[in-house]
């Protein structure tokens, strides 16, 4: 549970640490356009969470987590298909990514609550607060590590994050690979843990 939670947080955390660099340097958007696309992603998540809850009632929480983690990973693969600087063409991908990203976050919380209920029924002790504390701690550690890992990867691929820095095509390609491979790997590992 804890490793899965950490991996599922690390994936999107990794992505968010690279978001502005990726959308401005690789995809050719302005900072303002990137912010609007991020807003679309967040708003889509508000609709994705209830949809994931409804799906979980039909196919189970575990299967919903697998489905949303896989859909998120596949959606991240399509981000490179969006034409550079084409805001309208980026909207469907950002809507889909935000919509499905809310699902695996919601499912981990719901499964944590189920685990707490199971402990209460088997042991007669209320441990839900302790369990949520551990999963929250893992999520916070994973979020902090996302920044450390991503900036280390950027340095390794030669990408310079400083404002006005010139980056080679190889460094931009390294940024693109880091933006897509890191989140996909961690989200799929997190899904597999459950």
């Amino acid at each position: 549970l804890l490793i899965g939670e950490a991996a599922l947080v690390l994936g999107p955390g990794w992505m968010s640490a690279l978001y502005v660099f990726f959308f401005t340097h690789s995809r050719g958007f302005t900072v303002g356009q990137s912010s609007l696309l991020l807003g679309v992603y967040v708003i889509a998540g508000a609709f994705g969470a209830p949809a994931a809850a409804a799906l979980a009632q039909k196919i189970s929480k575990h299967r919903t987590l697998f489905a949303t983690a896989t859909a998120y990973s596949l959606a991240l693969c399509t981000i490179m298909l969006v034409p550079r600087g084409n805001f309208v063409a980026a909207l469907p991908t950002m809507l889909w990514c935000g919509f499905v990203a809310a699902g695996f976050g919601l499912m981990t919380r719901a499964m944590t609550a189920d685990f707490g209920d199971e402990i209460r029924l088997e042991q007669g002790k209320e441990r839900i607060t302790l369990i949520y504390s551990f999963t929250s701690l893992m999520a916070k550690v994973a979020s902090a590590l996302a920044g450390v890992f991503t900036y280390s990867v950027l340095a390794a691929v030669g990408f310079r994050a400083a404002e006005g820095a010139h980056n080679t095509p190889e460094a931009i390609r390294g940024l693109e690979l880091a933006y897509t491979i890191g989140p996909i790997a961690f989200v799929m590992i997190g899904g597999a843990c459950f």
Side-chain angles (χ1 to χ4, degrees):
L1 179 69
L2 295 176
I3 293 170
E5 172 72 14
L8 287 171
V9 169
L10 190 55
W14 181 291
M15 186 187 86
S16 66
L18 299 178
Y19 180 83
V20 171
F21 302 130
F22 175 78
F23 273 83
T24 56
H25 292 279
S26 169
R27 305 315 312 146
F29 293 104
T30 66
V31 173
Q33 290 172 321
S34 299
S35 297
L36 286 173
L37 287 170
L38 184 58
V40 167
Y41 176 94
V42 171
I43 291 169
F47 294 96
L55 182 61
Q57 290 179 340
K58 293 181 186 200
I59 67 169
S60 86
K61 293 173 189 156
H62 286 83
R63 287 189 180 112
T64 300
L65 189 141
F66 299 148
T68 55
T70 303
Y72 179 78
S73 296
L74 292 173
L76 279 180
C77 292
T78 66
I79 199 78
M80 295 304 294
L81 302 176
V82 174
R84 280 183 49 81
N86 190 329
F87 184 83
V88 174
L91 287 173
T93 297
M94 294 307 288
L95 281 167
W96 184 246
C97 283
F99 186 81
V100 294
F104 54 81
L106 177 66
M107 290 304 106
T108 59
R109 301 304 179 277
M111 286 189 277
T112 301
D114 291 345
F115 183 59
D117 288 344
E118 186 176 322
I119 288 174
R120 183 175 43 81
L121 291 173
E122 287 179 4
Q123 298 177 3
K125 297 179 181 179
E126 187 64 51
R127 300 282 190 224
I128 193 69
T129 304
L130 181 64
I131 295 166
Y132 270 116
S133 296
F134 277 121
T135 57
S136 294
L137 175 65
M138 286 302 289
K140 288 176 184 183
V141 168
S143 292
L145 289 176
V148 173
F149 289 158
T150 54
Y151 285 104
S152 299
V153 169
L154 286 184
V157 299
F159 183 84
R160 294 184 11 222
E163 189 173 336
H166 176 72
N167 287 292
T168 65
E170 293 80 19
I172 300 293
R173 183 69 181 144
L175 169 67
E176 293 169 349
L177 291 172
Y179 184 83
T180 53
I181 293 171
I184 290 169
F186 283 114
V187 167
M188 293 309 291
I189 289 167
C193 285
F194 284 94

